[in-house]
Amino acid sequence: AMKALCCIGRDGVAALGKELIDPQQSNRAGILVILQDPWVVGTNGFVAVPFLLSCLNDPDSHIAEESLVTLGEFRAEPAITVPALIKLLRRHQNPWYRRQAADFLGGFGELARSSVTNLLEACEDSDFQVQTSATNALQMIAPELFGTNAFSGSTKSIKKN
C-alpha cells in the first residue's frame, strides 16, 4: 500500500510524509525505506523534503539517521536543505551526522556555496572523517579555493580570499 501511494505521485509522497512525522505511526522505518526507493518515488522526492527535515531531530535515532540519508540522496530543495545541513555540520554532537552533512553538502555542488565558511571550520573538526568529508565537499563546491598543490588536509593550504 505504501508503494502504491508513492506511485500515484506527489500526493502519495505527501501522504507518506505526513505519516512519517507522526510519532504514533508504527511503520515509520518502512516509510523511509519506500521514500529511499528512486523507482517508487521518481521525481517526487522534493515533496518529502520538509517532512524529512522535521525528522532530523527525531528522538528515534534510526528515523533521524535515515531521514538524513534520504535527504542526501534526493539532493532536492537546496534552499531549505542546505541550511539544515549546515546546522547539523555546526551543531550536532555526533560526528557521523557532521560527516554526512558535509558529504551531502558537497553533493549540492555550487548550490551549497553558502556552506563554504562552515566547511572550512569543519576541516579543523576533532573527528578526522569529518575533516575529510569537509575537504571533499569544498573541492566540489568551491574548487577555486585549492591551490595547485595537493590539499594537505589542513585549511592552511587553502587560499584565503
Side-chain angles (χ1 to χ4, degrees):
M2 287 190 287
K3 281 189 179 185
L5 278 174
C6 280
C7 292
I8 63 170
R10 294 177 183 169
D11 292 339
V13 173
L16 285 175
K18 289 175 186 171
E19 292 296 312
L20 178 64
I21 62 172
D22 178 1
Q24 303 304 315
Q25 171 54 252
S26 63
N27 197 16
R28 296 168 71 211
I31 291 169
L32 283 165
V33 169
I34 297 301
L35 290 174
Q36 290 172 344
D37 187 339
W39 294 105
V40 175
V41 177
T43 59
N44 296 312
F46 72 95
V47 175
V49 169
F51 302 106
L52 293 165
L53 288 171
S54 70
C55 289
L56 291 178
N57 295 313
D58 198 276
D60 181 335
S61 62
H62 177 73
I63 298 297
E65 291 168 7
E66 289 302 313
S67 293
L68 177 57
V69 169
T70 305
L71 277 170
E73 291 172 357
F74 284 169
R75 289 189 204 139
E77 302 295 320
I80 58 174
T81 303
V82 167
L85 292 173
I86 291 170
K87 183 177 177 182
L88 283 177
L89 179 66
R90 292 180 61 210
R91 297 185 183 156
H92 208 284
Q93 297 287 328
N94 185 325
W96 182 87
Y97 284 86
R98 296 193 308 273
R99 184 177 75 240
Q100 295 298 319
D103 286 341
F104 296 145
L105 285 165
F108 277 101
E110 178 69 27
L111 296 174
R113 192 92 182 154
S114 62
S115 68
V116 168
T117 300
N118 295 290
L119 286 165
L120 285 168
E121 291 170 6
C123 287
E124 303 294 333
D125 193 277
S126 60
D127 185 271
F128 177 74
Q129 291 179 326
V130 174
Q131 293 174 17
T132 302
S133 291
T135 301
N136 292 338
L138 283 167
Q139 290 174 333
M140 293 185 277
I141 296 167
E144 72 281 358
L145 293 176
F146 295 80
T148 55
N149 298 332
F151 184 67
S152 68
S154 168
T155 55
K156 293 179 178 113
S157 63
I158 298 175
K159 291 189 235 176
K160 302 272 184 175
N161 293 335

